[in-house]
Amino acid sequence: MEFEVIIGLEVHVQLNTRTKMFCSCPTSFAQRQNSNTCPVCLGLPGALPVINEEAVKKAMMFGWAIEATINQKSLFNRKNYFYPDLPKGYQISQFEVPIVEKGHLFIDLEDGSKRKIGITRAHLEEDAGKNIHEGRISKVDLNRAGTPLLEIVSEPDLRSSQEAVQYLKKLHAIVRYLDISDANMQEGSFRCDANVSIRPKGDEELYTRVEIKNLNSFRFIQRAIDYEVERQIEAWEDGSYEEEVIQETRLFDTQKGITRSMRGKEESADYRYFPDPDLPPLIIPQSFFEETKAIPELPDQKRERFIQEYGIRPYDAALIASSREMADFFEEMMAHGITPQNGVTWLTVELAARLNKAGLEIQESPVQSETLAKLIQRIEDKTISNKAAKDVLDYLMEHQVDVDEAIEDLGLKQISDPTAIEGLVDQVLEANQDKVAQYKGGKEKLFGFFVGQVMKASQGKADPKLVNEILRKKLS
Ligand code: ZN
Ligand code: MN
């Protein structure tokens, strides 16, 4: 039997506002435990929440970016549950009427096609604090309590773990482009829960879905979904689906690569949502509507522009536009008037490989865009060969020097003076008269030998194109 995989994702994005969602405490975490707190985020009785305008603006910007409906009037609700890191005993969230509804984005599939993925809603809420477990003692740190979150819920439109990852990457790029979140996955400012179910192909019904919580890397998300799909299909095939696949929350064990039952899944009724009596409905003024519409260029638009403006391949354009830092780096390079294809190769192949090896992100690159552009200029003006430029780049990764200094230090300046090369060619032909005779007698394969000898004589510095040209002339 063939199965279809149904995946819906919930992503919590921490908004990069200066202050918390309902109080004026700073959102920075570096401080001493429980120092970024006040009566509101400590949940003291009588303290009153005030909505953060910046968080509302950022949620709306996201709404415009996914072509969603923005509700001019939305509501804040209390979501009741008990946990030590939640001092009020409820989380302020949005329920019946979220600020953003009915949007979509496009994911890029491997065959170059696109697929539209629905976004059901995006709502504002506050984060909880953190429990810190130290041996037999557990502590509660409320510095994070009250930090603004945007929870983005997709439609169950995704059909494989690869599609789920593509969706998350696009979402990640969008929030980074909008600069509404740093979206750092390791630090938890972009966290994902995946709802996974299967059904026989052709079936229209939705079967039991399992929620996998707190996935914080693209790789883990893919592995967790793959494992869960496999588990559900096996249960179906051996007749234990009813017992094995129940509506529950599972955790992904990154060591063992399996998902494990954590708790039965709550229904929304379990939370006893009700409108927060301390917060009137959020009504957005018309002027604010217009103000938030001016959003920056988004990944898909940038990719199209790169294809049009620089004539680069769609694949390369998509790769570069997938990260805002990479796109900025590329455009800064292009401002130096280099050939686009060289810019693409030296950024996405040469520099990317070296950064990857060093475990660095593009924004941490020891070689800046201006330096890489200058290196490319030195290839284009024939000061150095393409091959020598790779050595120069290695050197620049380690040394804080100018490109020309690096070329000087390494003694890699290319010989592109035709007279000098002619001299070398003459030497080589003179020293190998027997081979010249064989070549002229029809053994044309020897041409490569002569090129090699001239390159050797120049210690690899002769411009290979010129060597070829001059050799052909002399041997004809
Ligand atoms: Zn506070
Ligand atoms: Mn939530």
Side-chain angles (χ1 to χ4, degrees):
M1 187 188 276
E2 278 216 64
F3 291 92
E4 186 173 36
V5 177
I6 319 283
I7 303 164
L9 298 176
E10 292 169 21
V11 177
H12 283 87
V13 173
Q14 189 185 301
L15 297 174
N16 56 357
T17 55
R18 214 166 37 75
T19 58
K20 292 186 180 179
M21 187 65 223
F22 300 108
C23 62
S24 54
C25 292
T27 48
S28 51
F29 300 144
Q31 274 76 10
R32 194 166 43 83
Q33 288 165 11
N34 294 305
S35 61
N36 286 348
T37 55
C38 72
V40 173
C41 55
L42 287 174
L44 300 188
L48 290 172
V50 177
I51 299 169
N52 182 333
E53 181 178 312
E54 193 63 17
V56 172
K57 183 179 174 192
K58 289 185 165 171
M60 289 172 71
M61 286 170 70
F62 177 75
W64 298 124
I66 58 160
E67 295 176 319
T69 303
I70 291 170
N71 289 319
Q72 197 145 12
K73 177 179 169 183
S74 64
L75 301 172
F76 284 97
N77 289 62
R78 291 186 179 180
K79 178 181 181 179
N80 300 282
Y81 68 96
F82 172 77
Y83 209 64
D85 63 12
L86 188 75
K88 294 195 297 291
Y90 60 85
Q91 175 196 33
I92 306 177
S93 182
Q94 297 195 295
F95 187 57
E96 300 104 320
V97 193
I99 185 160
V100 172
E101 270 184 307
K102 299 189 201 82
H104 61 263
L105 56 71
F106 289 92
I107 58 169
D108 309 298
L109 302 178
E110 250 169 41
D111 62 3
S113 65
K114 289 176 182 188
R115 220 154 82 66
K116 185 174 173 178
I117 306 298
I119 293 177
T120 319
R121 56 188 279 147
H123 65 251
L124 282 164
E125 59 183 32
E126 55 177 345
D127 208 345
K130 263 183 188 164
N131 293 329
I132 301 160
H133 307 289
E134 289 172 1
R136 300 184 48 182
I137 299 172
S138 289
K139 302 173 178 176
V140 179
D141 178 10
L142 294 175
N143 279 352
R144 196 181 67 180
T147 300
L149 297 176
L150 188 65
E151 180 176 333
I152 303 161
V153 182
S154 85
E155 290 287 311
D157 285 348
L158 299 156
R159 291 289 169 271
S160 68
S161 61
Q162 291 91 321
E163 287 191 12
V165 169
Q166 288 306 103
Y167 168 83
L168 288 167
K169 285 188 170 166
K170 184 56 69 72
L171 199 59
H172 190 263
I174 290 172
V175 301
R176 297 276 304 132
Y177 268 67
L178 294 172
D179 193 20
I180 61 173
S181 170
D182 69 19
N184 185 318
M185 295 182 86
Q186 283 80 44
E187 288 172 11
S189 32
F190 188 93
R191 336 194 264 268
C192 171
D193 305 335
N195 289 300
V196 181
S197 67
I198 57 163
R199 68 182 170 201
K201 222 171 195 142
D203 206 333
E204 290 295 311
E205 198 182 327
L206 287 172
Y207 289 80
T208 309
R209 70 189 160 98
V210 164
E211 183 180 32
I212 315 169
K213 267 239 175 296
N214 275 331
L215 298 161
N216 68 350
S217 87
F218 293 129
R219 199 162 51 91
F220 288 158
I221 287 156
Q222 182 146 10
R223 283 174 52 203
I225 292 173
D226 287 342
Y227 175 85
E228 186 54 31
V229 166
E230 204 51 42
R231 188 183 74 87
Q232 294 185 16
I233 289 176
E234 266 173 36
W236 189 295
E237 283 174 343
D238 69 21
S240 62
Y241 183 83
E242 298 286 325
E243 303 99 78
E244 294 290 332
V245 181
I246 52 170
Q247 187 166 326
E248 64 178 350
T249 298
R250 295 176 75 88
L251 279 184
F252 182 59
D253 180 332
T254 55
Q255 300 288 318
K256 297 209 174 85
I258 61 171
T259 64
R260 236 202 289 272
S261 181
M262 180 165 96
R263 57 164 191 253
K265 169 76 181 158
E266 313 74 10
E267 297 286 345
S268 68
D270 297 327
Y271 290 116
R272 298 295 189 272
Y273 281 98
F274 67 90
D276 193 313
D278 291 337
L279 288 165
L282 170 61
I283 295 164
I284 296 159
Q286 195 59 39
S287 60
F288 201 64
F289 244 76
E290 300 308 319
E291 205 182 298
T292 56
K293 273 185 187 165
I295 56 170
E297 189 180 40
L298 294 166
D300 289 355
Q301 296 165 340
K302 202 176 281 273
R303 177 185 56 195
E304 290 314 308
R305 183 168 63 77
F306 281 180
I307 296 169
Q308 299 303 323
E309 204 171 319
Y310 302 116
I312 63 178
R313 291 188 304 156
Y315 173 85
D316 293 328
L319 178 64
I320 293 170
S322 68
S323 132
R324 185 178 167 179
E325 287 76 17
M326 184 111 119
D328 288 348
F329 196 106
F330 178 70
E331 291 219 90
E332 285 158 24
M333 281 168 70
M334 293 312 298
H336 293 268
I338 56 169
T339 313
Q341 193 48 51
N342 277 336
V344 169
T345 308
W346 282 86
L347 173 58
T348 66
V349 182
E350 298 299 337
L351 182 63
R354 285 163 178 79
L355 290 174
N356 195 23
K357 204 173 150 203
L360 296 172
E361 300 289 331
I362 184 88
Q363 55 270 36
E364 302 163 318
S365 175
V367 177
Q368 297 297 301
S369 53
E370 199 189 336
T371 309
L372 191 57
K374 192 164 174 196
L375 179 63
I376 295 167
Q377 282 173 337
R378 289 293 167 266
I379 303 168
E380 293 180 353
D381 68 14
K382 297 200 182 312
T383 307
I384 51 171
S385 68
N386 207 61
K387 188 167 164 292
K390 294 181 186 181
D391 296 334
V392 177
L393 185 54
D394 286 334
Y395 190 78
L396 289 168
M397 292 291 290
E398 305 289 338
H399 301 82
Q400 287 266 329
V401 294
D402 178 51
V403 171
D404 290 327
E405 267 176 79
I407 295 170
E408 197 70 29
D409 289 356
L410 295 169
L412 285 172
K413 207 161 175 178
Q414 180 164 264
I415 304 170
S416 44
D417 169 14
T419 331
I421 292 175
E422 227 179 294
L424 292 170
V425 169
D426 288 341
Q427 273 176 39
V428 167
L429 298 184
E430 182 68 29
N432 295 284
Q433 285 180 14
D434 51 334
K435 294 218 168 59
V436 174
Q438 288 174 25
Y439 178 85
K440 289 190 169 162
K443 207 172 168 192
E444 289 187 2
K445 272 193 290 183
L446 279 168
F447 190 78
F449 166 80
F450 295 125
V451 174
Q453 290 300 304
V454 177
M455 291 307 292
K456 203 172 150 195
S458 74
Q459 290 166 311
K461 289 182 217 163
D463 177 350
K465 232 176 112 191
L466 267 177
V467 171
N468 270 276
E469 268 172 36
I470 294 169
L471 262 173
R472 288 225 184 274
K473 212 167 63 197
K474 297 253 174 194
L475 285 169
S476 66

